[in-house]
């Protein structure tokens, strides 16, 4: 499988974390890309018309995007249990949605700060996205005893979301009032799937 790859993308990180957990990371060929909200990377557009990563191409030419689809494909390929069956499936998918939602808000905040000039930047927009992030963190704190007890697409997505906050919002102190979540994240981050995929600018 070929994967359009960007080392700073939390969604790409989620895909690679799943692949490592499943023991199939060596079956992925990582192709360089430069996803940007304003500057379209045509290398990505060949795989995904939205020009967003992650995007993948299978050996038979099948195209897959986005991270949710690719992760579920990998779980099926690796005969894994990151996407359980039965009632627990819906809980795990909801946890994934919570982590992805935090990431969406964080990325929109970053784009507002880095892609807009000072005169066009909206403080209200940033405040609105940060409110979503805080609410998602509070929900994670309240439910960490549930998702923290298993390795699933939900817990991996939440860990990648928290890692992105540390990477791009280092001054944002989310830990002080969410101590249970902080303890869980510290332990979770020791797993090879997360330790070896921490985002980097270089």
């Amino acid at each position: 499988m070929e994967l359009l790859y960007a080392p700073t993308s939390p969604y790409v990180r989620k895909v690679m974390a799943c692949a490592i957990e499943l023991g199939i990371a060596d079956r992925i060929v990582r192709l360089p890309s430069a996803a940007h909200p304003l500057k379209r990377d045509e290398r990505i557009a060949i795989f995904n018309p939205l020009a967003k990563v992650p995007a993948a191409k299978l050996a038979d030419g099948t195209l897959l995007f986005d991270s949710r689809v690719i992760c579920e494909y990998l779980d099926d390929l690796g005969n894994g249990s990151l996407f359980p069956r039965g009632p627990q499936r819906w809980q795990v998918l909801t946890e994934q949605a919570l982590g992805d939602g935090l990431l969406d808000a964080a990325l929109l905040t970053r784009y507002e700060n880095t892609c807009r000039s000072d005169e066009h930047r909206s403080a209200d927009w940033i405040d609105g996205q940060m409110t979503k992030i805080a609410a998602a963190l509070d929900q994670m704190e309240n439910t960490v005893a549930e998702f923290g007890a298993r390795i699933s697409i939900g817990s991996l997505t939440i860990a990648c979301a928290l890692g992105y906050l540390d990477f791009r919002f280092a001054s944002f102190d989310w830990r002080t009032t969410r101590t249970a979540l902080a303890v869980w994240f510290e332990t979770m981050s020791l797993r090879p799937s997360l330790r070896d995929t921490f985002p980097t600018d270089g």
Side-chain angles (χ1 to χ4, degrees):
M1 184 177 100
E2 295 180 325
L3 179 73
L4 269 296
Y5 182 86
T8 59
S9 167
Y11 297 111
V12 170
R13 185 188 188 195
K14 182 170 75 164
V15 168
M16 292 307 303
C18 286
I20 292 170
E21 290 287 347
L22 294 163
I24 57 176
D26 60 347
R27 299 169 67 175
I28 296 175
V29 177
R30 295 183 291 180
L31 304 178
S33 67
H36 191 277
L38 303 180
K39 301 172 185 177
R40 184 176 174 85
D41 186 340
E42 292 301 331
R43 294 173 297 180
I44 306 172
I46 293 171
F47 284 55
N48 176 358
L50 301 174
K52 297 169 66 176
V53 292
K57 183 167 73 172
L58 307 185
D60 65 0
T62 299
L63 301 177
L64 300 178
F65 53 85
D66 54 9
S67 66
R68 291 165 292 187
V69 176
I70 298 171
C71 288
E72 189 155 5
Y73 169 80
L74 291 175
D75 194 54
D76 184 66
L77 181 66
N79 296 312
S81 57
L82 299 178
F83 292 80
R85 304 306 303 175
Q88 192 178 70
R89 175 178 177 83
W90 310 116
Q91 183 60 42
V92 164
L93 291 179
T94 299
E95 292 160 2
Q96 177 181 215
L98 182 64
D100 280 344
L102 188 156
L103 283 174
D104 289 344
L107 284 164
L108 288 172
T109 300
R110 176 166 169 76
Y111 293 156
E112 189 73 12
N113 280 321
T114 60
C115 297
R116 287 189 185 273
S117 58
D118 291 343
E119 63 268 25
H120 292 114
R121 189 172 300 126
S122 170
D124 288 342
W125 174 268
I126 293 171
D127 288 345
Q129 300 308 316
M130 294 304 294
T131 296
K132 292 179 183 180
I133 291 171
L137 289 167
D138 290 342
Q139 176 68 10
M140 292 171 186
E141 171 72 9
N142 291 335
T143 57
V144 66
E146 298 173 22
F147 66 75
R150 57 183 178 264
I151 301 301
S152 69
I153 190 58
S155 60
L156 287 173
T157 303
I158 287 172
C160 288
L162 298 177
Y164 187 75
L165 289 181
D166 284 354
F167 178 54
R168 291 301 195 197
F169 298 82
S171 63
F172 177 53
D173 178 19
W174 61 265
R175 289 172 170 82
T176 297
T177 58
R178 305 171 185 96
T179 54
L181 184 63
V183 170
W184 171 82
F185 180 58
E186 183 177 358
T187 301
M188 186 75 170
S189 296
L190 298 176
R191 296 185 69 84
S193 62
L194 295 168
R195 182 195 64 208
D196 298 343
T197 58
F198 193 82
T200 174
D201 280 316

Coordinates of all heavy atoms in Angstrom, one line a residue, residues 2-9 11-17 20 28-35 41 43-44 47 52-56 70 196-200 202:
E2 N 0.5 2.2 -0.9 CA 1.2 3.5 -0.9 C 0.4 4.5 -0.1 O -0.8 4.6 -0.2 CB 1.4 4.0 -2.3 CG 2.3 3.1 -3.2 CD 2.5 3.6 -4.6 OE1 1.5 4.2 -5.1 OE2 3.6 3.5 -5.2
L3 N 1.1 5.3 0.7 CA 0.4 6.2 1.6 C 1.1 7.6 1.4 O 2.3 7.8 1.6 CB 0.6 5.8 3.1 CG -0.1 6.7 4.1 CD1 -1.6 6.6 4.0 CD2 0.5 6.4 5.5
L4 N 0.3 8.6 1.0 CA 0.7 10.0 1.0 C 1.0 10.4 2.5 O 0.1 10.3 3.3 CB -0.3 10.9 0.4 CG -0.1 11.1 -1.1 CD1 1.2 11.8 -1.4 CD2 -0.2 9.8 -1.9
Y5 N 2.2 10.8 2.7 CA 2.7 10.9 4.1 C 3.1 12.3 4.4 O 3.8 13.0 3.6 CB 3.9 9.9 4.3 CG 4.4 9.9 5.7 CD1 3.9 9.1 6.7 CD2 5.5 10.7 6.0 CE1 4.5 9.0 8.0 CE2 6.1 10.7 7.3 CZ 5.5 9.8 8.3 OH 6.1 9.8 9.5
A6 N 2.8 12.8 5.6 CA 3.3 14.1 6.1 C 3.6 13.9 7.6 O 2.7 13.5 8.4 CB 2.3 15.2 5.9
P7 N 4.9 14.1 8.0 CA 5.3 13.8 9.4 C 4.6 14.6 10.5 O 4.6 14.3 11.6 CB 6.8 14.0 9.4 CG 7.0 14.9 8.3 CD 6.0 14.6 7.3
T8 N 4.0 15.8 10.1 CA 3.3 16.6 11.0 C 1.8 16.4 11.1 O 1.2 17.0 12.0 CB 3.6 18.1 10.7 OG1 3.0 18.4 9.4 CG2 5.0 18.5 10.7
S9 N 1.3 15.6 10.2 CA -0.2 15.4 10.2 C -0.6 14.4 11.3 O -0.2 13.3 11.3 CB -0.6 14.8 8.9 OG -1.9 14.3 8.9
Y11 N -3.5 13.0 11.5 CA -4.3 12.0 10.9 C -3.4 10.9 10.2 O -3.7 9.7 10.2 CB -5.2 12.6 9.8 CG -6.2 13.6 10.5 CD1 -6.1 14.9 10.2 CD2 -7.2 13.1 11.3 CE1 -7.0 15.8 10.8 CE2 -8.1 14.0 11.9 CZ -8.0 15.3 11.6 OH -8.9 16.2 12.2
V12 N -2.3 11.3 9.6 CA -1.3 10.4 9.1 C -0.7 9.6 10.3 O -0.5 8.4 10.2 CB -0.2 11.1 8.3 CG1 1.0 10.1 8.0 CG2 -0.7 11.7 7.0
R13 N -0.5 10.3 11.4 CA 0.1 9.6 12.6 C -0.9 8.5 13.1 O -0.5 7.4 13.4 CB 0.3 10.6 13.7 CG 1.0 10.0 14.9 CD 1.0 10.9 16.1 NE 1.8 10.3 17.2 CZ 1.9 10.7 18.4 NH1 1.1 11.8 18.8 NH2 2.6 10.1 19.3
K14 N -2.2 8.8 13.0 CA -3.2 7.8 13.4 C -3.1 6.6 12.6 O -3.2 5.5 13.1 CB -4.6 8.5 13.4 CG -5.7 7.5 13.8 CD -7.0 8.3 14.0 CE -7.6 8.5 12.6 NZ -9.1 8.9 12.7
V15 N -3.0 6.8 11.3 CA -2.8 5.6 10.4 C -1.6 4.8 10.7 O -1.7 3.6 10.8 CB -2.8 6.1 8.9 CG1 -2.4 5.0 8.0 CG2 -4.2 6.6 8.5
M16 N -0.5 5.5 10.9 CA 0.8 4.8 11.2 C 0.7 4.1 12.5 O 1.3 3.0 12.7 CB 2.0 5.7 11.0 CG 2.2 6.2 9.6 SD 2.4 4.9 8.4 CE 3.7 3.9 9.1
A17 N 0.1 4.7 13.5 CA 0.0 4.1 14.8 C -0.8 2.8 14.7 O -0.5 1.8 15.4 CB -0.7 5.1 15.8
I20 N 1.3 0.1 13.1 CA 2.3 -0.5 14.1 C 1.6 -1.4 15.1 O 2.1 -2.5 15.4 CB 3.0 0.7 14.8 CG1 3.9 1.4 13.8 CG2 3.9 0.1 15.9 CD1 4.5 2.7 14.3
I28 N 3.6 -0.7 4.2 CA 3.2 0.6 3.8 C 4.4 1.4 3.2 O 5.5 1.5 3.8 CB 2.6 1.5 4.9 CG1 1.3 0.8 5.4 CG2 2.3 2.9 4.5 CD1 0.7 1.5 6.6
V29 N 4.3 1.8 1.9 CA 5.3 2.7 1.3 C 4.9 4.1 1.5 O 3.8 4.6 1.0 CB 5.4 2.4 -0.2 CG1 6.4 3.3 -0.9 CG2 5.8 0.9 -0.4
R30 N 5.7 4.9 2.2 CA 5.4 6.3 2.5 C 5.9 7.2 1.4 O 7.1 7.3 1.1 CB 5.9 6.7 3.9 CG 5.3 5.9 5.0 CD 5.8 6.3 6.4 NE 7.2 5.9 6.6 CZ 7.9 6.2 7.7 NH1 7.3 6.8 8.7 NH2 9.2 5.8 7.8
L31 N 5.0 8.0 0.8 CA 5.3 8.9 -0.2 C 5.2 10.3 0.3 O 4.3 10.7 1.0 CB 4.3 8.8 -1.4 CG 4.2 7.4 -2.0 CD1 3.2 7.4 -3.1 CD2 5.5 6.9 -2.5
P32 N 6.2 11.2 0.0 CA 6.2 12.5 0.5 C 5.1 13.4 0.0 O 4.6 13.2 -1.2 CB 7.6 13.1 0.1 CG 7.9 12.3 -1.1 CD 7.3 10.9 -0.9
S33 N 4.6 14.3 0.8 CA 3.6 15.2 0.4 C 3.7 16.5 1.2 O 4.4 16.6 2.2 CB 2.2 14.6 0.5 OG 1.9 14.5 1.9
A34 N 3.0 17.5 0.7 CA 3.0 18.8 1.4 C 1.6 19.4 1.4 O 1.2 20.3 0.7 CB 4.0 19.8 0.8
A35 N 0.7 18.8 2.2 CA -0.7 19.2 2.3 C -0.7 20.6 2.9 O 0.0 21.0 3.9 CB -1.5 18.3 3.2
D41 N -1.4 20.5 -3.3 CA -0.4 19.6 -3.7 C -1.0 18.6 -4.6 O -1.7 17.7 -4.2 CB 0.2 18.9 -2.4 CG 1.4 18.0 -2.8 OD1 1.6 17.7 -4.0 OD2 2.2 17.7 -1.9
R43 N 0.3 16.1 -6.0 CA 0.7 14.7 -5.7 C -0.3 14.0 -4.9 O -0.6 12.8 -5.1 CB 2.1 14.7 -5.0 CG 3.3 15.2 -5.8 CD 4.5 15.3 -5.0 NE 4.3 16.2 -3.9 CZ 5.3 16.5 -3.0 NH1 6.5 15.9 -3.0 NH2 5.1 17.4 -2.0
I44 N -0.9 14.8 -4.0 CA -2.0 14.2 -3.1 C -3.3 14.1 -3.9 O -4.0 13.1 -3.8 CB -2.2 15.1 -1.9 CG1 -0.9 15.3 -1.1 CG2 -3.2 14.5 -1.0 CD1 -1.0 16.3 0.0
F47 N -4.3 11.0 -5.5 CA -4.9 9.9 -4.6 C -6.2 10.4 -4.1 O -7.1 9.5 -3.8 CB -3.9 9.7 -3.5 CG -2.7 8.9 -3.8 CD1 -1.8 9.2 -4.8 CD2 -2.4 7.7 -3.1 CE1 -0.7 8.5 -5.1 CE2 -1.3 7.0 -3.4 CZ -0.4 7.3 -4.4
K52 N -6.0 16.1 0.5 CA -5.8 16.1 1.9 C -5.1 14.7 2.3 O -5.4 13.7 1.6 CB -7.1 16.2 2.7 CG -7.7 17.6 2.5 CD -9.1 17.6 3.1 CE -9.2 17.5 4.6 NZ -10.6 17.6 5.1
V53 N -4.3 14.7 3.3 CA -3.7 13.5 3.7 C -4.3 13.1 5.0 O -4.9 13.9 5.8 CB -2.1 13.6 3.9 CG1 -1.5 13.8 2.6 CG2 -1.8 14.7 4.9
P54 N -4.3 11.7 5.3 CA -3.7 10.7 4.5 C -4.6 10.2 3.4 O -5.8 10.3 3.4 CB -3.6 9.5 5.6 CG -4.7 9.8 6.5 CD -4.9 11.3 6.6
A55 N -3.9 9.8 2.3 CA -4.6 9.1 1.2 C -3.8 8.0 0.8 O -2.5 8.0 0.8 CB -4.8 10.1 0.1
A56 N -4.4 6.9 0.4 CA -3.7 5.7 0.1 C -4.1 5.0 -1.2 O -5.2 5.3 -1.7 CB -3.9 4.7 1.2
I70 N -8.9 4.4 6.0 CA -7.7 3.7 5.9 C -7.4 2.9 7.2 O -7.0 1.8 7.1 CB -6.5 4.7 5.7 CG1 -6.7 5.5 4.4 CG2 -5.2 4.0 5.7 CD1 -5.7 6.6 4.1
D196 N 7.0 6.1 18.5 CA 7.8 6.1 17.2 C 7.1 7.0 16.1 O 7.6 7.1 15.0 CB 8.0 4.7 16.7 CG 8.8 3.9 17.7 OD1 9.5 4.5 18.5 OD2 8.8 2.6 17.5
T197 N 6.0 7.6 16.4 CA 5.3 8.4 15.4 C 5.1 9.8 15.8 O 4.3 10.5 15.2 CB 3.9 7.7 15.1 OG1 3.1 7.7 16.3 CG2 4.1 6.4 14.5
F198 N 5.8 10.2 16.9 CA 5.5 11.6 17.3 C 5.8 12.6 16.2 O 6.9 12.4 15.5 CB 6.4 11.9 18.6 CG 5.9 13.2 19.2 CD1 4.9 13.2 20.1 CD2 6.6 14.4 19.0 CE1 4.4 14.4 20.7 CE2 6.2 15.6 19.6 CZ 5.1 15.6 20.4
P199 N 5.0 13.6 16.0 CA 5.2 14.5 14.8 C 6.5 15.3 15.0 O 6.9 15.6 16.1 CB 3.9 15.4 14.9 CG 3.4 15.3 16.3 CD 3.8 13.9 16.7
T200 N 7.0 15.7 13.8 CA 8.2 16.5 13.8 C 8.2 17.4 12.6 O 7.7 17.0 11.5 CB 9.5 15.6 13.8 OG1 10.6 16.4 13.6 CG2 9.4 14.6 12.6
G202 N 11.0 18.4 11.3 CA 12.2 18.1 10.5 C 12.5 16.7 10.5 O 12.9 16.0 9.7

